[in-house]
């Protein structure tokens, strides 16, 4: 059963194994950073590659806004490692086999089968400040997340 995370909710904590074998825990990241958590359908597909490369190209700007970018899909750690290397991605991609984390956040599927593309901006207090759900506008995920981070800084 999946819950749907909404703006203003505390983000559910989770832990997944990173490609290097270490553990990624959301709560550890939130100690000193905002987190831009993006769920995407599949490595090496046109939209997902565009989105990942745009996050890569803007990565330094995200860091300037005290944010870490984290991508999650159901692909294997091996697939993620190849995807990261071929596109020189500076952020971690996590494998969510069985879609447990996707379900925790309530990320919908398109046509009931294709894993959705949803981005969450989570502030340092663990509060979800923004959610963007669009399969067809992968670049807007990046642009919108940056705008939200700028607004968080102003407050």
């Amino acid at each position: 059963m999946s819950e749907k995370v909404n703006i203003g909710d505390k983000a559910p904590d989770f832990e997944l194994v990173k490609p290097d074998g270490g553990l990624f825990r959301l709560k550890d990241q939130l100690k000193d950073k905002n987190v831009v958590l993006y769920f995407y359908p599949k490595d090496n597909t046109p939209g997902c590659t565009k989105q990942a490369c745009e996050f890569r190209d803007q990565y330094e700007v995200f860091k300037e806004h005290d944010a870490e970018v984290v991508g999650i899909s159901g692909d294997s750690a091996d697939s993620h490692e190849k995807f990261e290397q071929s596109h020189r991605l500076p952020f971690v991609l996590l494998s969510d086999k069985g879609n447990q984390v996707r379900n925790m956040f309530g990320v919908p599927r398109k046509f009931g089968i294709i894993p959705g593309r949803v981005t969450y901006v989570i502030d340092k207090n663990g509060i979800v400040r923004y959610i963007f759900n669009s399969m067809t506008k992968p670049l807007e995920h990046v642009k919108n997340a940056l705008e939200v981070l700028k607004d968080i800084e102003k407050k």
Side-chain angles (χ1 to χ4, degrees):
M1 182 74 185
S2 69
E3 292 292 314
K4 185 170 185 337
V5 172
N6 294 299
I7 292 172
D9 289 352
K10 185 102 169 142
D13 191 31
F14 65 89
E15 125 181 341
L16 288 172
V17 177
K18 296 189 287 189
D20 67 6
L23 277 184
F24 174 95
R25 289 181 189 88
L26 181 60
K27 69 179 179 189
D28 292 344
Q29 292 295 310
L30 293 170
K31 286 178 183 169
D32 55 9
K33 293 180 185 137
N34 301 298
V35 172
V36 176
L37 185 66
Y38 81 98
F39 291 87
Y40 65 100
K42 189 154 184 54
D43 292 341
N44 292 306
T45 56
C48 296
T49 300
K50 256 189 219 170
Q51 183 180 27
C53 289
E54 184 67 10
F55 272 120
R56 175 201 65 206
D57 294 347
Q58 298 296 323
Y59 186 67
E60 289 303 315
V61 181
F62 279 100
K63 284 175 61 175
E64 288 169 16
H65 293 291
D66 248 359
E68 185 53 56
V69 175
V70 179
I72 297 181
S73 82
D75 291 313
S76 69
D78 193 42
S79 173
H80 284 333
E81 191 172 10
K82 289 175 183 155
F83 188 48
E84 281 178 24
Q85 287 174 352
S86 67
H87 297 289
R88 300 176 329 278
L89 303 179
F91 51 86
V92 69
L93 298 177
L94 299 171
S95 180
D96 184 23
K97 283 288 180 211
N99 297 311
Q100 291 174 319
V101 176
R102 183 177 287 275
N103 291 337
M104 284 170 101
F105 278 80
V107 176
R109 293 180 164 274
K110 184 143 177 132
F111 308 120
I113 51 170
I114 301 167
R117 180 187 318 277
V118 180
T119 297
Y120 297 83
V121 176
I122 305 164
D123 70 17
K124 294 174 191 175
N125 296 314
I127 304 300
V128 176
R129 300 291 294 272
Y130 179 76
I131 301 171
F132 185 66
N133 179 357
S134 173
M135 287 295 279
T136 58
K137 299 177 180 170
L139 301 182
E140 280 191 38
H141 287 258
V142 180
K143 179 174 110 4
N144 295 350
L146 276 172
E147 291 303 316
V148 171
L149 288 166
K150 289 174 188 173
D151 286 346
I152 289 172
E153 275 187 343
K154 289 177 191 169
K155 294 178 180 171

